[in-house]
Amino acid sequence: MTIMANDGDSGGREIKEEDVIIAAVEGGGTTFVVSLARMVVDPSESKAGCESFTDLQVLETHTISSELETPQHTLDEVADFLMAHKPPQEYAALGIACFGPIGLNKSKDYGCILASSPKKAWRGVDIVTPLLEACGNCPHALETDVNAPALAEYWVARTKKGEQISSAAYITVGTGVGVGLVVNDKPVHGFLHPEGGHVCIQPLQNNGSQDHEGYSWGTERSPYKGVNTVEGVTSSVALTERLLKARALTNSDDDDDDGAAADGPNERDALKDVPDDHEVWDHSANALANLCVTLILVTSVERIVLGGGVMNRSILFPKIRRRVLTLLNNYLELPHHDQENGMDQFITGSTWGDRGGLVGTLLLARSIYLAKKEKETAVTATKSDDSAFAIGVVHGIILSAGLALAALTLVRKR
């Protein structure tokens, strides 16, 4: 598949009645991104001013804050955009990828943000229904905001790079830590979806700093109360709280400063000014290496991709790769790790940059549309076979009746 991004040329956005238009909504922690794309049957039809993705051409993309007055305000703006750009022939399919935890299985919680979400205002909010209604209740697919980019990374490795892998993991590291996993062409769900950010880790030795007792977001409902977990150590919230606590201990003997919480983006912006050699990055790399090792041992995953705001700190990648090898202690021979730059291919950054989630969401819409078409084709073929069989039966009956009549006439003449 090729995806073509609109560069603002109105010619690239022209929609014909025969066009197949799909929609994608990626719901993230701070923004919702809405995109419309045209299925391109013949690549030669690709319109000027668009970058190609093989059979998709992105026509419109719009970003909406997820931190408006209420979640309903955000969803209303997304729905308004979808309705305002609805093509005359209706949307062919809708892909939705959203932060979680979110109900993915068809139950009473389907499409709703679950009660364990750290985003309190969004708990219990139905994401799917208003978006489906805006799209005319077209076929849809729902995924997490980490399974979607995992799908995009898996797809590009298989189709563009020609790699014979059967699995890929995507780890996003921001205000929280999420894990998406694709195995044998399908995102992993189970009874919910992977929540790898909450697995326990082997922490580093103190290294002279005050022991870190988890992060403020973890005390309410997180597994292990966020103590010595991946998210409790390397999310931007946890890293900032570790940093604030260290500074408070350095600058003051006042115990009241020990529990500093990174409640807002302004506090977390402090991470941008932390030098590369600060010990906070060693703790971050260790936590993520522990997560990579867990994924390797449990799923035998063949590609691990890391993204999110924290991973903009590029020095983390070599630290993580080295720590993974140390933790594995030569137990496994990892793919290509004995070759030059081999670990760079195994544990790597996103091919798509910050567009991975949107690409994966478009892939979801595309796959549900193609599945529908395949089913319709199979039904048509079955009906044709049934019709042919019925015609054959009728012909057989007529032929048998004719033969019987001929035989009867012959007997009477005798």
Side-chain angles (χ1 to χ4, degrees), residues 276 281-282 285-286 288-290 292-293 314-330 334 337 343-344 346-347:
D276 285 350
W281 304 122
D282 294 329
N286 176 65
L288 291 169
N290 271 263
C292 289
V293 168
S314 59
I315 53 100
L316 286 173
F317 283 97
K319 286 176 177 287
I320 292 167
R321 295 177 187 122
R322 288 194 298 269
R323 186 60 179 162
V324 164
L325 294 175
T326 299
L327 291 171
L328 283 173
N329 194 32
N330 296 315
L334 296 177
H337 89 271
M343 283 291 284
D344 294 3
F346 179 49
I347 299 175

Side-chain angles (χ1 to χ4, degrees), residues 289-302 304 324-325 328 332 334-335 343 346-347:
N290 271 263
L291 175 54
C292 289
V293 168
T294 297
L295 290 170
I296 292 165
L297 295 177
V298 173
T299 70
S300 197
V301 68
E302 295 154 287
I304 299 176
V324 164
L325 294 175
L328 283 173
L332 296 175
L334 296 177
M343 283 291 284
F346 179 49
I347 299 175

